[in-house]
Amino acid sequence: MEEMHIYINGDFFPESQAKVSVFDHGFLYGDGIFEGIRAYDGRIFRLNEHIDRLYESAKTIKLNIPLSEEQMKEACAETLRRNKIKSGYLRLIVSRGFGKLGLDPRNCEKPTIVIIPAGYVITVAEAKPVKAIIASTRRNPSFCIPPTVKSCNYLNNILARIEALNANADEAIMLDVRGYVSEGAADNIFIIKKGKLITPPLHAGILEGVTRLVTIEIAENLGIQVIDKDITIHELYNSDEAFITGTGGEVQPLIEVDGRIIGTGQPGPITKRISEEFKKEALRPEAGYEVYK
Ligand code: PMP
């Protein structure tokens, strides 16, 4: 198979030569931010939302990205063009950059920008039903590492995912420090009760997922009431339907949590409807950034 070409600071390198220094503070300290982005049929889905989130994350960690938002979008598009990808995945990483040892970010002269393309979806299978556990590892509170920053520091989530793997589950649902439902290790969560869609608010320590935003738009367009409020474990166990959302997996039914069957144990009607609408939205021309103009 032909090697993918990886974007590093404006140049492209074949996979086998795409390397970043061991002195990069992204490697040394997890000091950086990233985005996981999908392209469908020659358009990058909701690129504006992803780039906005990236630049907001950068501002919070006081990282000056040396490209304008427009230039960053073009770098993403160029990465797909170089690799002749119409539908696939992009992993965009901006780290603090190369610098001597020590936490001081001033040790790094300029950020490292990397864009890794994948012609196939590398994460969980789309729309596959999921069995989850509730992890004992709690989500980082915003007064520690703000979860709204999509940082390269994912140990919190990885610890939760390890708990899921140990329990033979597909995903771990994390609680916030207060004990309310927050999100999955790499996805947002929704429950449905009596026809209403309920999702944890930002103060429950979630990443503001792009798929979450799109899901809320879809539900509202379908006339489904959307409520963002704190969700207890009891409410999750006793929901009529539940699903998780993320760029890789899109809308995935959650059919079991901690050995409790959710609803009928099958993907529910509202989940299926939203999942179908999501697939349509992903292909709507105006929802994407045109790569092959
Ligand atoms: N929460 C976390 C912790 C994530 O890592 C992700 C992305 N994989 C999400 C939620 C979902 O965000 P998005 O819909 O933007 O992919």
Side-chain angles (χ1 to χ4, degrees), residues 53 150 154 157 183 185-188 207 209-211 245-247:
R53 184 169 68 186
K150 196 163 169 60
Y154 253 52
N157 315 60
E183 62 179 339
D187 28 69
N188 293 111
L207 176 78
V210 173
T211 322
T245 62
T247 294

Side-chain angles (χ1 to χ4, degrees), residues 28 43 60 88 116 184 188 191 194 196 212 257 278 283 288:
L28 288 172
R43 285 181 289 266
T60 296
I116 305 170
N188 293 111
I191 66 168
K194 297 194 167 69
K196 292 183 180 135
R212 176 183 181 273
V257 179
F278 184 86
L283 294 172

Side-chain angles (χ1 to χ4, degrees), residues 53 139 147-148 150 171-174 181-191 198-202 204-216 231 242-247 250-252 254:
R53 184 169 68 186
R139 194 71 180 97
T148 37
K150 196 163 169 60
E171 183 54 305
I173 304 300
M174 303 179 79
V181 173
S182 178
E183 62 179 339
D187 28 69
N188 293 111
I189 184 167
F190 287 82
I191 66 168
I198 311 169
T199 195
L202 285 184
I206 64 165
L207 176 78
E208 194 170 16
V210 173
T211 322
R212 176 183 181 273
L213 291 174
V214 174
T215 299
I216 292 171
I231 298 173
F243 60 85
I244 56 173
T245 62
T247 294
E250 301 181 338
V251 175
Q252 294 182 274
L254 189 56

Side-chain angles (χ1 to χ4, degrees), residues 108-215:
C108 307
E109 214 172 279
K110 65 174 177 60
T112 304
I113 303 174
V114 173
I115 308 174
I116 305 170
Y120 53 93
V121 177
I122 51 163
T123 55
V124 277
E126 275 172 29
K128 176 182 158 275
V130 165
K131 293 184 182 177
I133 51 131
I134 296 195
S136 65
T137 306
R138 298 271 169 109
R139 194 71 180 97
N140 291 320
S142 57
F143 44 82
C144 293
I145 302 177
T148 37
V149 171
K150 196 163 169 60
S151 89
C152 291
N153 205 310
Y154 253 52
L155 268 185
N156 179 238
N157 315 60
I158 290 165
L159 287 174
R161 186 58 76 73
I162 288 171
E163 290 187 53
L165 294 175
N166 283 341
N168 272 324
D170 307 300
E171 183 54 305
I173 304 300
M174 303 179 79
L175 305 178
D176 67 10
V177 281
R178 301 167 307 156
Y180 289 102
V181 173
S182 178
E183 62 179 339
D187 28 69
N188 293 111
I189 184 167
F190 287 82
I191 66 168
I192 293 152
K193 190 73 178 177
K194 297 194 167 69
K196 292 183 180 135
L197 189 60
I198 311 169
T199 195
L202 285 184
H203 70 241
I206 64 165
L207 176 78
E208 194 170 16
V210 173
T211 322
R212 176 183 181 273
L213 291 174
V214 174
T215 299

